[in-house]
Amino acid sequence: MTHSRFFENVSYYFDKAAKHLDYPKGLLDQIKICNSVYSFKFPVKMDDDRFEVIEAFRVEHSHHKMPVKGGIRYSDMVNEDEVKALAALMTYKCALVDVPFGGAKGGISINVKNYSEKELERITRRYTSELIKKNFIGPGIDVPAPDYGTGEREMAWIADTYAAFHHGEIDAFACVTGKPLSQHGINGRKAATGRGVYYGLREAVRNKQLMDKLGLSTGLEGKSIIVQGLGNVGYHAAKFLQEDGAKIVGIAEFEGGIYDPNGLDVQAVFEHRLETKSILNFKTAKNFEKSEELLEVECDILVPAALENQIHDGNAPNIKAKIVGEGANGPLTPGAEEILLKKNILIVPDLFLNAGGVTVSYFEWLKNISHVAYGRIGRRYEESSVKNVIAAIEELSGKNLSDSQRAQIIRGASEHDLVNSGLEDTMIISFNQILEIMNSRNLSDLRTAAFIKSLDRIAKSYFELGIFP
Ligand code: GLU
């Protein structure tokens, strides 16, 4: 599968939406292009004393809001076109969910399986120092985060390297998000993208008008779902969807897929894969040696939560799901999208559905620059106020609450509660904004509506800056 047209694909969606807006061509061109593309190579010493040249990228797509924001991907498929496309998607994603950042993305062309932890640490620290040299990282400049192949561990190395180069800079730890909790991270960031996928799909299936068109009942209860990818996004999305009553009937990974029409226990599958190093042979589930075949199995919702270009002209005609929820960035090619739309399949687009990660990254960044954890100041006060209200009501009514009722009512919001509430609110508001645009403009798909919302916001901010008076 070639990835060399990913940026072109994102631009295609941009153009499709731009036709519905009345902005000058120059402004639209400015939004569409990548502002800065940094492509670089550096040597790293391996454990056996060999030197290896590492190829890496950081692309800042749009500086209309600062800092710019987006993950760093470690994969041997990383190339400039891919990073540009992912950076552009970050711009549109942030604007859509009203996160005040421009878009960026980074990538290192390595297969993490071929490197030891020490080698990965040296690669990550050196990558960070290259970004520092060129001013491509900083709390008010460019703030990376995890993506495919990276996680809390890499973010901690990045933060530590940046802090070492910026001794005394009080906001240094806001230079990257997705950090471990002990390193100024935030509760709920790790699960955030998957949780956002769950909130987003829950919102879509709640809508009677949309479900009627698909011949589906409203609500997640009993909906059959196939998930591609049991990484951070796929695992959490599947888990939350299952907890709310959906049936995860299939999970696809590199090594193959498994299918059980009665539903798979996501947590048990996750542990089975950790233990046996393969998803296959899980209890009585049916094995799919070719995992891509699982995407073509009948289900209500298909959630590609792995990589781009997974559904293309070749397999799109065989997709039988009624809804495709894009957990990954760019899992459909434009050709596939056209085929699916003709088949009356509802596509819940990536720039909305997987925006939970960057939304909670924004909360982490705010926590870092404000130097106080959410709930730290108000929680006890909130609890004692509620205690006083309960005491007054008990005295007036002559009746008392049970201890467990009291504890439940009194409990003030923790950081985790606040983060999840902000995330839920963001996903609900954004979905309804997209839907409103789709209906009022008589559009046939959610992606075009999402791009319209996003472009309109970005264009307006350029006008507010006075750049296009
Ligand atoms: N890599 C994630 C994404 O594609 C998160 C980015 C962030 O948190 O900045 O949205």
Side-chain angles (χ1 to χ4, degrees), residues 287-449:
N287 280 340
F288 275 70
E289 302 290 339
K290 288 191 185 142
S291 84
E292 63 273 17
E293 285 176 4
L294 191 51
L295 305 183
E296 301 175 9
V297 170
E298 207 155 308
C299 63
D300 294 322
I301 310 178
L302 173 64
V303 182
L307 286 167
E308 58 270 18
N309 297 343
Q310 297 301 299
I311 303 175
H312 41 82
D313 288 9
N315 60 0
N318 307 330
I319 300 292
K320 293 175 198 70
K322 302 212 169 56
I323 302 173
V324 173
E326 298 186 328
N329 289 310
L332 307 188
T333 61
E337 165 149 294
E338 226 171 275
I339 295 169
L340 298 190
L341 290 176
K342 277 203 189 108
K343 284 164 63 125
N344 192 32
I345 293 174
L346 176 73
I347 298 163
V348 188
D350 47 9
L351 69 160
F352 159 69
L353 198 63
N354 69 34
V358 76
T359 301
V360 175
S361 275
Y362 170 45
F363 301 155
E364 180 176 333
W365 181 82
L366 288 174
K367 174 184 179 178
N368 295 152
I369 59 170
S370 59
H371 301 273
V372 62
Y374 291 91
R376 167 92 190 252
I377 294 177
R379 185 168 171 181
R380 173 90 32 193
Y381 182 78
E382 206 184 302
E383 290 186 356
S384 65
S385 306
V386 180
K387 248 188 223 164
N388 291 339
V389 173
I390 291 176
I393 293 174
E394 285 181 336
E395 203 185 299
L396 286 171
S397 67
K399 288 182 185 151
N400 287 334
L401 289 174
S402 70
D403 286 351
S404 70
Q405 280 172 326
R406 186 191 312 272
Q408 213 183 347
I409 297 175
I410 285 175
R411 195 175 150 271
S414 67
E415 180 171 87
H416 201 210
D417 296 327
L418 293 168
V419 162
N420 289 343
S421 140
L423 171 58
E424 184 173 11
D425 195 44
T426 303
M427 297 307 289
I428 293 176
I429 290 177
S430 302
F431 185 78
N432 288 301
Q433 287 176 341
I434 299 169
L435 199 61
E436 203 274 314
I437 292 180
M438 185 168 99
N439 289 335
S440 65
R441 291 177 180 260
N442 231 341
L443 303 169
S444 59
D445 69 299
L446 289 169
R447 191 189 316 275
T448 307

Side-chain angles (χ1 to χ4, degrees), residues 34-42 54-61 63 78-81 83-84 87 104-109 126-137 142:
C34 287
N35 284 171
S36 320
V37 180
Y38 181 27
S39 154
F40 52 109
K41 295 191 171 73
F42 52 84
I54 304 289
E55 188 182 25
F57 307 89
R58 183 77 186 169
V59 173
E60 296 178 349
H61 172 260
H63 294 142
V78 161
N79 59 53
E80 190 173 307
D81 173 72
V83 186
K84 280 171 67 181
K105 201 79 168 200
I108 306 186
S109 321
R126 178 66 191 256
Y127 176 79
T128 310
S129 62
E130 295 295 328
L131 295 183
I132 294 170
K133 257 202 272 189
K134 299 282 182 191
N135 226 7
F136 267 71
I137 185 170
D142 185 341

